[in-house]
Amino acid sequence: MTTRRTMLQALAGAALLPSSLPVLAAAAAPEGEALKEIARRKGLRFGTAVGGGRNQFGDPAYRALVERECSIIVAENEMKWQALEPARDAYRFEPADAMLAWAERSKMTMRGHNLFWQAEKWLPAWLAKEDFGADRSRAERLMRKHVQTVCRHYGTRIASWDVVNEAIDPADGKLRQNALTRAFARGAGAIDQIDLAFRLAHEYAPHAQLVYNDYMRGDSGSTKHRAGVLAMLAELKKRGTPIHALGLQAHIGSWDESPERGREDMLQWRRFLDEATAMGYDLLITEFDVNDRRLPADIAQRDAGVAAAARDFLDVTLSYPRLSDFLLWGMADHISWLQTWDEAPRADKLPMRPCPYDAQLRPKPLRQAIADAMRTMPARRA
Ligand code: XIL
């Protein structure tokens, strides 16, 4: 006879067996079919960024949520240059390696983010201070060493790299300058440095999808940003630079004070995606979340507004079958970078609700909107 006690013992024993874990997790999931499964049926991979801290990679419940929902991850910070080489020549691969090992054990693939982040404030501090003068070759050697070291370290385990991140200044649509681009001033400037970044990535990771990643949106505040990105992509295409895809960060919602125009913003967004894909680039959504700063404080209203904004954006963006990866920048509200990002806070200072799960890891309307958008999107190319 099975007593309550033996049943509990059996369950406790089963929970220790790794092979039974997915079954238990699926049975316990209140939200039904996993997002990665809905995505997979259409030829899409679904995933998220994971941060190395205590409340993400360090939290077993959060890790279990990621394993349940995702087939692809990216490190939120751990593969950035300043994380991998915080002091010159002093490499620190362990945090990113630990995450990659976990991803592989959990049958998730991992993207690389990023080899070059163009805003000077995000370069390693030791590099931002560097003055190469007119010594372009010294800057080139440094770039080569970085790409060689990182790409050799990861080899084919990383199959997609954000090679260059955020090269365009949204204020004027021009290429950003930093310690590296300045060394290329005698040539064509920043575009030469970007071109070299992709060529190096191709040389040391010839198997990999090479991506240009940026945060332009469809609103009027992003007009110059979109134009600058398209102009850069056109120039690189002309040069035969090995870039395969455009990464759409997709930090959507309200950011600046430009008015939201609804349909018109989506029209501009579609026009932008049409132009990028017409040049032959594939697309990825690399960092999706919804900034709710202009939505009401009331949680039900806010969550509904976030879900509606997501659905509008995803219906357009996922309609491109060239888009085959969809990653969020965090699965749950409490770990979102937006909670501490001071560029676009809520006036009422309430915590933001930009993610599909809340701080207790309960699914929100945004999760439903994501699931619905993926269920209705066209299937990807084989
Ligand atoms: C953010 C991280 O989420 C933060 O933890 C960090 O302090 C700054 O960078 N665009 C990108 C990401 O490409 O790398 C950024 O990540 C968010 C915006």
Side-chain angles (χ1 to χ4, degrees):
M1 201 178 88
T2 312
T3 63
R4 191 178 131 75
R5 179 132 178 240
T6 50
M7 175 84 105
L8 286 176
Q9 280 165 350
L11 277 177
L16 293 175
L17 291 173
S19 63
S20 65
L21 277 180
V23 178
L24 288 179
E31 59 287 329
E33 195 181 14
L35 293 172
K36 67 179 176 193
E37 278 307 313
I38 303 172
R40 190 188 52 78
R41 279 193 273 110
K42 296 287 179 74
L44 183 80
R45 286 186 298 200
F46 178 83
T48 186
V50 179
R54 208 157 37 86
N55 54 9
Q56 295 194 62
F57 192 52
D59 175 5
Y62 188 80
R63 278 205 311 274
L65 173 67
V66 173
E67 287 172 346
R68 190 167 79 226
E69 296 277 46
C70 299
S71 52
I72 182 166
I73 66 161
V74 63
E76 182 174 4
N77 290 302
E78 291 66 21
M79 273 193 203
K80 291 169 180 173
W81 194 345
Q82 59 176 203
L84 294 181
E85 195 183 357
R88 191 191 283 267
D89 297 327
Y91 290 94
R92 190 169 170 265
F93 282 107
E94 296 76 14
D97 287 359
M99 224 181 261
L100 177 56
W102 166 64
E104 289 171 342
R105 278 199 307 277
S106 312
K107 307 265 180 299
M108 297 183 290
T109 184
M110 187 166 177
R111 304 194 61 241
H113 173 82
N114 53 56
L115 291 171
F116 295 95
W117 195 348
Q118 296 297 95
E120 193 145 61
K121 86 183 243 211
W122 298 115
L123 288 179
W126 58 267
L127 173 56
K129 286 199 291 265
E130 187 73 49
D131 183 358
F132 295 97
D135 192 356
R136 173 172 170 158
S137 64
R138 196 157 66 85
E140 287 184 3
R141 280 199 304 280
L142 188 81
M143 287 173 66
R144 175 175 292 275
K145 175 169 174 262
H146 173 55
V147 175
Q148 179 179 39
T149 308
V150 175
C151 290
R152 282 215 178 131
H153 182 85
Y154 288 111
T156 53
R157 297 168 77 195
I158 298 289
S160 174
W161 276 105
D162 289 335
V163 178
V164 174
N165 199 36
E166 303 179 356
I168 303 297
D169 185 341
D172 57 13
K174 299 211 173 105
L175 294 173
R176 294 178 197 266
Q177 303 297 327
N178 63 43
L180 289 173
T181 65
R182 281 191 286 274
F184 289 72
R186 285 249 174 100
I191 193 76
D192 283 351
Q193 184 259 337
I194 292 166
D195 176 74
L196 177 65
F198 281 97
R199 291 183 193 277
L200 290 169
H202 184 62
E203 186 178 335
Y204 293 105
H207 60 281
Q209 177 195 46
L210 305 182
V211 179
Y212 172 70
N213 190 46
D214 209 339
Y215 60 88
M216 62 283 133
R217 294 179 305 274
D219 57 64
S220 59
S222 248
T223 306
K224 290 185 177 147
H225 199 169
R226 288 192 304 275
V229 168
L230 291 174
M232 185 194 73
L233 290 177
E235 171 61 23
L236 294 172
K237 185 176 156 62
K238 209 166 83 193
R239 290 174 172 227
T241 310
I243 311 188
H244 308 116
L246 169 62
L248 314 167
Q249 291 189 5
H251 296 294
I252 69 161
S254 302
W255 280 87
D256 51 31
E257 300 314 319
S258 57
E260 280 167 43
R261 300 167 304 173
R263 235 181 130 252
E264 173 62 20
D265 288 352
M266 278 301 120
L267 219 68
Q268 294 304 331
W269 183 241
R270 194 184 277 283
R271 190 167 291 167
F272 172 76
L273 298 180
D274 284 346
E275 284 198 41
T277 50
M279 285 187 230
Y281 295 109
D282 287 332
L283 301 173
L284 306 82
I285 297 176
T286 52
E287 310 185 8
F288 180 86
D289 52 24
V290 187
N291 187 328
D292 67 13
R293 61 192 290 260
R294 287 224 200 116
L295 291 168
D298 176 79
I299 285 182
Q301 283 185 44
R302 194 143 42 112
D303 287 356
V306 163
R311 190 65 204 269
D312 286 348
F313 175 85
L314 292 174
D315 281 349
V316 171
T317 311
L318 295 176
S319 76
Y320 291 78
R322 296 192 79 125
L323 190 151
S324 52
D325 291 296
F326 172 11
L327 288 90
L328 314 178
W329 209 244
M331 293 290 288
D333 294 335
H334 64 299
I335 58 86
S336 172
W337 69 304
L338 291 173
Q339 304 300 1
T340 49
W341 193 248
D342 57 6
E343 270 178 33
R346 288 185 64 84
D348 57 17
K349 302 277 184 275
L350 285 172
M352 298 242 183
R353 298 180 62 82
C355 300
Y357 283 83
D358 69 11
Q360 284 71 45
L361 305 186
R362 291 174 305 207
K364 297 163 53 199
L366 177 55
R367 187 194 181 278
Q368 189 65 45
I370 291 171
D372 292 346
M374 293 195 299
R375 284 198 173 101
T376 50
M377 75 185 177
R380 314 290 99 175
R381 292 179 310 181

PDB file of all heavy atoms in Angstrom, residues 76-77 80 113 117 122 165-166 213 249 251 287 329 337 341, ligand 1:
ATOM      1  N   GLU A  76      24.309  38.547 -20.310  1.00  0.00           N
ATOM      2  CA  GLU A  76      23.921  39.954 -20.234  1.00  0.00           C
ATOM      3  C   GLU A  76      25.158  40.859 -20.241  1.00  0.00           C
ATOM      4  O   GLU A  76      25.142  41.928 -20.853  1.00  0.00           O
ATOM      5  CB  GLU A  76      23.081  40.205 -18.976  1.00  0.00           C
ATOM      6  CG  GLU A  76      22.602  41.651 -18.865  1.00  0.00           C
ATOM      7  CD  GLU A  76      21.654  41.899 -17.716  1.00  0.00           C
ATOM      8  OE1 GLU A  76      21.396  40.957 -16.930  1.00  0.00           O
ATOM      9  OE2 GLU A  76      21.169  43.035 -17.586  1.00  0.00           O
ATOM     10  N   ASN A  77      26.202  40.477 -19.572  1.00  0.00           N
ATOM     11  CA  ASN A  77      27.426  41.299 -19.509  1.00  0.00           C
ATOM     12  C   ASN A  77      28.718  40.502 -19.636  1.00  0.00           C
ATOM     13  O   ASN A  77      29.767  41.063 -19.932  1.00  0.00           O
ATOM     14  CB  ASN A  77      27.480  42.057 -18.166  1.00  0.00           C
ATOM     15  CG  ASN A  77      26.422  43.142 -18.086  1.00  0.00           C
ATOM     16  OD1 ASN A  77      26.374  44.042 -18.923  1.00  0.00           O
ATOM     17  ND2 ASN A  77      25.551  43.044 -17.085  1.00  0.00           N
ATOM     18  N   LYS A  80      31.233  40.667 -22.642  1.00  0.00           N
ATOM     19  CA  LYS A  80      31.658  41.966 -23.149  1.00  0.00           C
ATOM     20  C   LYS A  80      33.157  42.122 -22.912  1.00  0.00           C
ATOM     21  O   LYS A  80      33.726  41.519 -21.995  1.00  0.00           O
ATOM     22  CB  LYS A  80      30.866  43.072 -22.442  1.00  0.00           C
ATOM     23  CG  LYS A  80      29.387  43.062 -22.855  1.00  0.00           C
ATOM     24  CD  LYS A  80      28.523  43.959 -21.996  1.00  0.00           C
ATOM     25  CE  LYS A  80      27.070  43.914 -22.462  1.00  0.00           C
ATOM     26  NZ  LYS A  80      26.150  44.635 -21.553  1.00  0.00           N
ATOM     27  N   HIS A 113      27.866  38.097 -27.155  1.00  0.00           N
ATOM     28  CA  HIS A 113      27.542  39.544 -27.116  1.00  0.00           C
ATOM     29  C   HIS A 113      28.560  40.222 -26.228  1.00  0.00           C
ATOM     30  O   HIS A 113      28.593  39.905 -25.054  1.00  0.00           O
ATOM     31  CB  HIS A 113      26.128  39.714 -26.545  1.00  0.00           C
ATOM     32  CG  HIS A 113      25.735  41.133 -26.287  1.00  0.00           C
ATOM     33  ND1 HIS A 113      25.264  41.956 -27.272  1.00  0.00           N
ATOM     34  CD2 HIS A 113      25.740  41.887 -25.160  1.00  0.00           C
ATOM     35  CE1 HIS A 113      24.971  43.139 -26.753  1.00  0.00           C
ATOM     36  NE2 HIS A 113      25.251  43.121 -25.473  1.00  0.00           N
ATOM     37  N   TRP A 117      31.879  47.198 -28.651  1.00  0.00           N
ATOM     38  CA  TRP A 117      30.772  48.087 -28.279  1.00  0.00           C
ATOM     39  C   TRP A 117      31.282  49.498 -28.496  1.00  0.00           C
ATOM     40  O   TRP A 117      32.208  49.946 -27.809  1.00  0.00           O
ATOM     41  CB  TRP A 117      30.372  47.832 -26.829  1.00  0.00           C
ATOM     42  CG  TRP A 117      29.054  48.419 -26.440  1.00  0.00           C
ATOM     43  CD1 TRP A 117      28.295  49.320 -27.131  1.00  0.00           C
ATOM     44  CD2 TRP A 117      28.334  48.131 -25.225  1.00  0.00           C
ATOM     45  NE1 TRP A 117      27.136  49.603 -26.441  1.00  0.00           N
ATOM     46  CE2 TRP A 117      27.145  48.889 -25.269  1.00  0.00           C
ATOM     47  CE3 TRP A 117      28.573  47.318 -24.128  1.00  0.00           C
ATOM     48  CZ2 TRP A 117      26.202  48.863 -24.236  1.00  0.00           C
ATOM     49  CZ3 TRP A 117      27.644  47.288 -23.104  1.00  0.00           C
ATOM     50  CH2 TRP A 117      26.463  48.054 -23.162  1.00  0.00           C
ATOM     51  N   TRP A 122      31.621  52.177 -22.874  1.00  0.00           N
ATOM     52  CA  TRP A 122      31.520  50.725 -22.690  1.00  0.00           C
ATOM     53  C   TRP A 122      32.773  49.970 -23.125  1.00  0.00           C
ATOM     54  O   TRP A 122      32.819  48.746 -23.073  1.00  0.00           O
ATOM     55  CB  TRP A 122      30.301  50.172 -23.429  1.00  0.00           C
ATOM     56  CG  TRP A 122      29.015  50.741 -22.920  1.00  0.00           C
ATOM     57  CD1 TRP A 122      28.150  51.528 -23.612  1.00  0.00           C
ATOM     58  CD2 TRP A 122      28.448  50.583 -21.607  1.00  0.00           C
ATOM     59  NE1 TRP A 122      27.081  51.869 -22.811  1.00  0.00           N
ATOM     60  CE2 TRP A 122      27.240  51.306 -21.589  1.00  0.00           C
ATOM     61  CE3 TRP A 122      28.857  49.907 -20.446  1.00  0.00           C
ATOM     62  CZ2 TRP A 122      26.423  51.373 -20.456  1.00  0.00           C
ATOM     63  CZ3 TRP A 122      28.036  49.967 -19.317  1.00  0.00           C
ATOM     64  CH2 TRP A 122      26.851  50.696 -19.332  1.00  0.00           C
ATOM     65  N   ASN A 165      28.433  46.534 -31.770  1.00  0.00           N
ATOM     66  CA  ASN A 165      27.236  46.934 -31.038  1.00  0.00           C
ATOM     67  C   ASN A 165      27.120  48.464 -31.038  1.00  0.00           C
ATOM     68  O   ASN A 165      28.098  49.152 -30.725  1.00  0.00           O
ATOM     69  CB  ASN A 165      27.375  46.431 -29.583  1.00  0.00           C
ATOM     70  CG  ASN A 165      26.056  46.353 -28.834  1.00  0.00           C
ATOM     71  OD1 ASN A 165      25.025  46.011 -29.426  1.00  0.00           O
ATOM     72  ND2 ASN A 165      26.076  46.639 -27.551  1.00  0.00           N
ATOM     73  N   GLU A 166      25.956  48.969 -31.435  1.00  0.00           N
ATOM     74  CA  GLU A 166      25.614  50.388 -31.271  1.00  0.00           C
ATOM     75  C   GLU A 166      26.651  51.334 -31.860  1.00  0.00           C
ATOM     76  O   GLU A 166      27.255  52.135 -31.149  1.00  0.00           O
ATOM     77  CB  GLU A 166      25.388  50.693 -29.779  1.00  0.00           C
ATOM     78  CG  GLU A 166      24.312  49.808 -29.180  1.00  0.00           C
ATOM     79  CD  GLU A 166      24.066  50.059 -27.685  1.00  0.00           C
ATOM     80  OE1 GLU A 166      24.782  50.871 -27.098  1.00  0.00           O
ATOM     81  OE2 GLU A 166      23.144  49.446 -27.132  1.00  0.00           O
ATOM     82  N   ASN A 213      24.428  44.890 -34.196  1.00  0.00           N
ATOM     83  CA  ASN A 213      23.341  44.972 -33.215  1.00  0.00           C
ATOM     84  C   ASN A 213      23.116  46.423 -32.776  1.00  0.00           C
ATOM     85  O   ASN A 213      24.071  47.116 -32.420  1.00  0.00           O
ATOM     86  CB  ASN A 213      23.758  44.116 -31.994  1.00  0.00           C
ATOM     87  CG  ASN A 213      22.652  43.889 -30.998  1.00  0.00           C
ATOM     88  OD1 ASN A 213      21.523  43.559 -31.391  1.00  0.00           O
ATOM     89  ND2 ASN A 213      22.940  44.041 -29.717  1.00  0.00           N
ATOM     90  N   GLN A 249      17.682  45.214 -31.228  1.00  0.00           N
ATOM     91  CA  GLN A 249      17.652  45.076 -29.764  1.00  0.00           C
ATOM     92  C   GLN A 249      16.207  45.044 -29.272  1.00  0.00           C
ATOM     93  O   GLN A 249      15.867  44.278 -28.388  1.00  0.00           O
ATOM     94  CB  GLN A 249      18.429  46.217 -29.105  1.00  0.00           C
ATOM     95  CG  GLN A 249      19.927  46.125 -29.348  1.00  0.00           C
ATOM     96  CD  GLN A 249      20.727  47.120 -28.524  1.00  0.00           C
ATOM     97  OE1 GLN A 249      20.174  47.840 -27.676  1.00  0.00           O
ATOM     98  NE2 GLN A 249      22.025  47.168 -28.751  1.00  0.00           N
ATOM     99  N   HIS A 251      14.344  47.218 -27.531  1.00  0.00           N
ATOM    100  CA  HIS A 251      13.933  47.768 -26.225  1.00  0.00           C
ATOM    101  C   HIS A 251      12.791  48.727 -26.544  1.00  0.00           C
ATOM    102  O   HIS A 251      13.010  49.917 -26.761  1.00  0.00           O
ATOM    103  CB  HIS A 251      15.101  48.496 -25.556  1.00  0.00           C
ATOM    104  CG  HIS A 251      16.238  47.601 -25.214  1.00  0.00           C
ATOM    105  ND1 HIS A 251      16.118  46.609 -24.257  1.00  0.00           N
ATOM    106  CD2 HIS A 251      17.493  47.500 -25.711  1.00  0.00           C
ATOM    107  CE1 HIS A 251      17.279  45.959 -24.180  1.00  0.00           C
ATOM    108  NE2 HIS A 251      18.119  46.465 -25.036  1.00  0.00           N
ATOM    109  N   GLU A 287      17.225  41.688 -27.839  1.00  0.00           N
ATOM    110  CA  GLU A 287      17.176  42.171 -26.448  1.00  0.00           C
ATOM    111  C   GLU A 287      15.788  42.688 -26.061  1.00  0.00           C
ATOM    112  O   GLU A 287      15.657  43.708 -25.398  1.00  0.00           O
ATOM    113  CB  GLU A 287      18.200  43.308 -26.248  1.00  0.00           C
ATOM    114  CG  GLU A 287      19.587  43.002 -26.735  1.00  0.00           C
ATOM    115  CD  GLU A 287      20.611  44.090 -26.418  1.00  0.00           C
ATOM    116  OE1 GLU A 287      20.290  45.038 -25.676  1.00  0.00           O
ATOM    117  OE2 GLU A 287      21.740  43.986 -26.905  1.00  0.00           O
ATOM    118  N   TRP A 329      15.631  40.570 -23.098  1.00  0.00           N
ATOM    119  CA  TRP A 329      16.721  41.023 -22.219  1.00  0.00           C
ATOM    120  C   TRP A 329      16.272  40.812 -20.767  1.00  0.00           C
ATOM    121  O   TRP A 329      16.099  41.735 -20.018  1.00  0.00           O
ATOM    122  CB  TRP A 329      17.085  42.483 -22.512  1.00  0.00           C
ATOM    123  CG  TRP A 329      18.531  42.781 -22.211  1.00  0.00           C
ATOM    124  CD1 TRP A 329      19.005  43.657 -21.257  1.00  0.00           C
ATOM    125  CD2 TRP A 329      19.688  42.224 -22.852  1.00  0.00           C
ATOM    126  NE1 TRP A 329      20.387  43.658 -21.276  1.00  0.00           N
ATOM    127  CE2 TRP A 329      20.834  42.793 -22.246  1.00  0.00           C
ATOM    128  CE3 TRP A 329      19.869  41.295 -23.875  1.00  0.00           C
ATOM    129  CZ2 TRP A 329      22.137  42.455 -22.629  1.00  0.00           C
ATOM    130  CZ3 TRP A 329      21.156  40.964 -24.256  1.00  0.00           C
ATOM    131  CH2 TRP A 329      22.268  41.538 -23.632  1.00  0.00           C
ATOM    132  N   TRP A 337      17.366  45.121 -16.398  1.00  0.00           N
ATOM    133  CA  TRP A 337      18.293  46.257 -16.339  1.00  0.00           C
ATOM    134  C   TRP A 337      17.562  47.583 -16.219  1.00  0.00           C
ATOM    135  O   TRP A 337      18.083  48.549 -15.697  1.00  0.00           O
ATOM    136  CB  TRP A 337      19.185  46.265 -17.593  1.00  0.00           C
ATOM    137  CG  TRP A 337      18.463  46.608 -18.875  1.00  0.00           C
ATOM    138  CD1 TRP A 337      17.359  45.972 -19.403  1.00  0.00           C
ATOM    139  CD2 TRP A 337      18.749  47.688 -19.766  1.00  0.00           C
ATOM    140  NE1 TRP A 337      16.970  46.567 -20.574  1.00  0.00           N
ATOM    141  CE2 TRP A 337      17.811  47.618 -20.830  1.00  0.00           C
ATOM    142  CE3 TRP A 337      19.725  48.681 -19.791  1.00  0.00           C
ATOM    143  CZ2 TRP A 337      17.808  48.531 -21.887  1.00  0.00           C
ATOM    144  CZ3 TRP A 337      19.719  49.582 -20.858  1.00  0.00           C
ATOM    145  CH2 TRP A 337      18.763  49.504 -21.882  1.00  0.00           C
ATOM    146  N   TRP A 341      18.341  51.491 -14.718  1.00  0.00           N
ATOM    147  CA  TRP A 341      18.816  52.327 -15.827  1.00  0.00           C
ATOM    148  C   TRP A 341      18.217  53.708 -15.667  1.00  0.00           C
ATOM    149  O   TRP A 341      16.993  53.843 -15.716  1.00  0.00           O
ATOM    150  CB  TRP A 341      18.375  51.689 -17.147  1.00  0.00           C
ATOM    151  CG  TRP A 341      19.046  52.245 -18.347  1.00  0.00           C
ATOM    152  CD1 TRP A 341      18.462  52.995 -19.329  1.00  0.00           C
ATOM    153  CD2 TRP A 341      20.412  52.072 -18.722  1.00  0.00           C
ATOM    154  NE1 TRP A 341      19.390  53.292 -20.277  1.00  0.00           N
ATOM    155  CE2 TRP A 341      20.598  52.754 -19.935  1.00  0.00           C
ATOM    156  CE3 TRP A 341      21.501  51.426 -18.136  1.00  0.00           C
ATOM    157  CZ2 TRP A 341      21.825  52.805 -20.585  1.00  0.00           C
ATOM    158  CZ3 TRP A 341      22.719  51.463 -18.786  1.00  0.00           C
ATOM    159  CH2 TRP A 341      22.879  52.144 -19.994  1.00  0.00           C
TER     160      TRP A 341
HETATM  161  C1  XIL B   1      23.186  46.387 -20.298  1.00  0.00           C
HETATM  162  C2  XIL B   1      23.108  45.434 -19.125  1.00  0.00           C
HETATM  163  O1  XIL B   1      21.804  44.905 -19.055  1.00  0.00           O
HETATM  164  C3  XIL B   1      23.458  46.154 -17.851  1.00  0.00           C
HETATM  165  O2  XIL B   1      23.526  45.227 -16.777  1.00  0.00           O
HETATM  166  C4  XIL B   1      24.788  46.885 -18.001  1.00  0.00           C
HETATM  167  O3  XIL B   1      25.045  47.666 -16.874  1.00  0.00           O
HETATM  168  C5  XIL B   1      24.802  47.774 -19.223  1.00  0.00           C
HETATM  169  O4  XIL B   1      24.459  47.009 -20.366  1.00  0.00           O
HETATM  170  N1  XIL B   1      22.104  47.371 -25.142  1.00  0.00           N
HETATM  171  C6  XIL B   1      23.007  46.332 -25.105  1.00  0.00           C
HETATM  172  C7  XIL B   1      23.213  45.586 -23.841  1.00  0.00           C
HETATM  173  O5  XIL B   1      23.568  45.965 -26.149  1.00  0.00           O
HETATM  174  O6  XIL B   1      24.515  45.069 -23.734  1.00  0.00           O
HETATM  175  C8  XIL B   1      22.862  46.461 -22.664  1.00  0.00           C
HETATM  176  O7  XIL B   1      22.997  45.670 -21.475  1.00  0.00           O
HETATM  177  C9  XIL B   1      21.474  47.031 -22.794  1.00  0.00           C
HETATM  178  C10 XIL B   1      21.387  47.896 -24.016  1.00  0.00           C
END
